[in-house]
Amino acid sequence: MFTLAEVASLNDIQPTYRILKPWWDVFMDYLAVVMLMVAIFAGTMQLTKDQVVCLPVLQSTVNSKAQPGTSGNADFTTVEATTGQGEEASMRTVSFGSVPTVTPDVPLSRATSPQYQPTESGQELKKEQKDSSGRKTNLDFQQYVFINQMCYHLALPWYSKYFPYLVLIHTIILIVSSNFWFKYPKTCSKIEHFVSILGKCFESPWTTKALSETACEDSEENKQRLTGAQSLPKYVSTSSDEGSPSASTPMITKSGFKFSADKPMIEVPSVTILDKKDGEQAKALFEKVRKFRAHVEDSDLIYKLYVGQTVIKTVKFIFILCYTANFVNTISFEHICNPKVEHLIGYTQFECTHNMAYMLKKLLISYISLICVYGFICLYTLFWLFRIPLKEYSFEKVREESSFSDIPDVKNDFAFLLHMVDQYDQLYSKRFGVFLSEVSENKLREISLNHEWTFEKLRQHVSRNAQEKQELHLFMLSGVPDAVFDLTDLDVLKLELIPEAKIPPKISQMTNLQELHLCHCPVKVEQTAFSFLRDHLRCLHVKFTDVAEIPAWVYLLKNLRELYLIGNLNSENNKMIGLESLRELRHLKILHVKSNLTKIPPNITDVAPHLTKLVIHNDGTKLVVLNSLKKMTNVAELELQNCELERIPHAIFSLSNLQELDLKSNSIRTIEEIISFQHLKRLTCLKLWHNKIVEIPSSITHVRNLESLYLSNNKLESLPPAVFSLQKLRCLDVSYNSIALIPEDIGCLQNLQHFYITGNRVKSLPKELFKCVKLRTLSLGQNSITSIPDKIGKLLQLTYLELKGNCLDRLPATLGQCLLLRKSGLVVEDHLFDTLPLEVKEVLNQDTSIPFANGI
């Protein structure tokens, strides 16, 4: 058995879902509970009180011509009541004395009895008639039990027997249909998320404070309009354009209210001040609402499921009404039963009474009335579902009342859920709309940001960089705190991953600011702020994903000296780079582009007369067209890294003022063109490292002014004598090649100060190496050197010596003669260091500050 509470639990939903239950759903739930009670009551009555009493139908007159037979005494019983419960029955009987009787039907037991005496039966009949007024039957107890059970199943209509169970099943189906959209996994998760967010939005302190904020702003605007309409453009902008400012108007353009330096910012009342916890919760709600909207607006499954379950309930109502109405008249108190068991009972027909008939009939009529009311409500629900488009929801009234004009309209399941909430309380939708407004979100971010990032906190984050400049790095904030612009002594400002960054006129207070970093941060500036940046900014770093992220005002900074652009500028977007604006950068000296170009944009030549350094890091994309380099006659430093170059570009030989060339990480195999470098009289540094060069041509001797040569990480197997004819060479790096021998000609490099040959196959050191007495750095690690000559003590200016990774068994004691060498500059295994004499180790362990400074 089950209780009413257990069945009613099917109709239970979470209390928070109540806001999604319109009045008709609530009314139908109550009707379902009443129908459930009817079913439980009828079932209980049937199981405990249901009775069928059957008596045989006797002939109207007594057959006086009974067949003679034997007489005897017998016991007779009269059935007073039978109680049927399911398939079982019980009988209560009253016993009478042993009397002979004459009846129309002789009991089977009497017909075969030899003691049956008809003469005595007549007398007994008279005596019985005096004692009782009823007619006697010849059925015993077991026969009555049997016939009551037979007639209960044969005579009663099936609807009378199964009415409670049918009502229970139908009610359960209606209950499940009403709440299926709350239980189905694909809709339950969305509904649960929606109700959770809606409740938090309704209770959030920001909702009330945001509405108060807009009301205060409206009153301030009205005062300004009354004062003078002409003052409005100076400090208020209502443009909704989200694009970058044009060359003539570099003002920020974003929907909402903007303030300039000509007028002070309108002070918001203290009601807008949120504590940190409320602010964080409100920001989290904005993010949840945004993600939920994107997820729910993609489908209309909730709407279709609700319509489907309403249609199912309507069809169920029609079905129940049609077949139930036909069975009202079949429920009767009296029934005639013909069980066809005459051979067992002796009677052919019985008249039965059903004591629950009147009760069942009244319950059935009540059930039909309830189901009719239920059905009419279902029809009304269908009318409401199709009367208006429920897959669209407009916040027009909320926009008018709250002044949040940017609240968007929603669609599909999101719209349907809001329509359902409106049937409960429209205030929920109004408060929910606040969290769909971008203006409201930006205002919250601004208030929370300024509340969290005070001047004292920002001052703690200021540090000094390698150039001893005061630097502030802000990372992943919702905006730029106002207190930043009170740091008047700041030199470098780095803004990274701040999508809503705005620079107000207060930046004019930062008179020391000369360097600005914008990393994935499309900053918007106001007119006064732009004027300040145009006149004072000297270095700008811009890191972006798409070229559209580069603010247009960047190309108007006429006093800019250094510009670093790091981002995607592939071949498809080359024509859209917008570098034609570089012609306004008349003082630009250094241009650094890290991208994936296939050619150097021709518009870079607009600043060619001013550039002294051009750096292109191409991230592995092959740079094909380099003809525009010929126009950059004033370039002194050129870096073309990771550009998949296979030869030295001929355009480089036209750069007469070139002093340093870096072709790192390309695919250069041969450098026969190096002879053309003889025309570059000022070239002093050549970096060809991380390539595939297998040989150094003898023509390198023509580059007479070369002071630094970097050939590390190539495929060199030897060093030609031509290299050692470069008398001005001060730095030679041939690390990580396959060189097996250091030529004796190395002694010719009298000006050599830095020699790197790490990671090769060198086995011995020529004594001529130690004629290079100006050596300060000697890197010999990861070779096969077996011994270090004692002449190493002649290198009096040596400050760094790397010997780790060789086959040494001891170190020469003459290392102590290298007066500037200290243990921190000696890279060697510990056990080799222990082989040095004690006095040498003491010299190497001395303080390095004073000798090193003097050596430098």
Side-chain angles (χ1 to χ4, degrees), residues 111 139-140 224 269:
L139 298 177
D140 59 18
Q224 294 295 337

Side-chain angles (χ1 to χ4, degrees), residues 15-75:
T16 53
Y17 288 1
R18 192 176 300 123
I19 60 176
L20 293 177
K21 302 281 286 187
W23 69 265
W24 51 83
D25 278 352
V26 175
F27 196 20
M28 284 192 287
D29 286 345
Y30 283 118
L31 289 176
V33 171
V34 175
M35 288 188 285
L36 195 62
M37 296 176 64
V38 169
I40 300 298
F41 176 73
T44 303
M45 293 294 293
Q46 187 179 54
L47 294 176
T48 58
K49 301 294 184 181
D50 199 14
Q51 297 177 357
V52 174
V53 179
C54 297
L55 293 176
V57 178
L58 304 177
Q59 293 183 0
S60 59
T61 60
V62 177
N63 186 4
S64 60
K65 297 179 181 181
Q67 294 296 331
T70 60
S71 63
N73 295 331
D75 292 337

Side-chain angles (χ1 to χ4, degrees), residues 51 53 156 330-335 352-358:
Q51 297 177 357
V53 179
L156 285 185
T330 62
I331 300 177
S332 175
F333 178 75
E334 297 180 355
H335 298 279
C352 304
T353 60
H354 185 203
N355 67 329
M356 286 290 297
Y358 293 112

Side-chain angles (χ1 to χ4, degrees), residues 425-601:
D425 191 348
Q426 293 185 356
L427 184 59
Y428 277 91
S429 299
K430 180 178 179 180
R431 288 179 171 266
F432 192 79
V434 173
F435 287 87
L436 291 171
S437 170
E438 189 176 352
V439 172
S440 174
E441 184 176 8
N442 291 337
K443 180 60 67 175
L444 171 66
R445 288 175 178 174
E446 181 181 344
I447 293 174
S448 300
L449 184 69
N450 292 329
H451 184 66
E452 178 181 2
W453 289 87
T454 60
F455 178 83
E456 291 76 14
K457 183 176 181 178
L458 289 171
R459 174 59 69 183
Q460 295 175 0
H461 284 74
V462 175
S463 61
R464 288 194 175 273
N465 59 15
Q467 292 77 30
E468 290 297 319
K469 294 182 178 180
Q470 293 196 40
E471 177 182 296
L472 175 63
H473 186 190
L474 299 179
F475 176 72
M476 290 188 69
L477 299 182
S478 58
V480 182
D482 290 341
V484 169
F485 308 105
D486 294 329
L487 301 172
T488 56
D489 54 348
L490 200 64
D491 300 308
V492 181
L493 177 60
K494 293 184 177 181
L495 306 177
E496 183 174 359
L497 294 175
I498 303 179
E500 299 296 333
K502 294 181 292 184
I503 298 181
K506 286 181 65 178
I507 196 174
S508 58
Q509 302 175 177
M510 307 175 69
T511 54
N512 291 338
L513 184 65
Q514 294 188 351
E515 184 174 343
L516 180 63
H517 293 248
L518 305 177
C519 182
H520 300 289
C521 184
V523 174
K524 298 177 177 64
V525 299
E526 298 190 20
Q527 179 101 32
T528 307
F530 168 74
S531 300
F532 173 81
L533 293 175
R534 181 187 58 196
D535 297 335
H536 292 81
L537 200 61
R538 296 294 181 266
C539 180
L540 178 63
H541 295 248
V542 182
K543 187 175 182 179
F544 53 90
T545 302
D546 186 81
V547 67
E549 296 179 20
I550 304 176
W553 52 267
V554 167
Y555 306 107
L556 304 175
L557 302 173
K558 63 180 183 180
N559 288 325
L560 196 65
R561 301 291 191 273
E562 303 177 23
L563 176 60
Y564 297 80
L565 300 176
I566 305 174
N568 184 19
L569 296 174
N570 56 41
S571 58
E572 296 178 358
N573 293 334
N574 272 339
K575 296 180 180 179
M576 303 171 58
I577 292 177
L579 295 181
E580 62 274 7
S581 300
L582 290 179
R583 62 170 54 96
E584 298 293 332
L585 307 180
R586 299 182 181 90
H587 296 89
L588 190 66
K589 300 297 182 183
I590 299 175
L591 178 60
H592 186 292
V593 179
K594 185 177 182 180
S595 184
N596 53 350
L597 301 172
T598 57
K599 63 179 181 180
I600 297 179

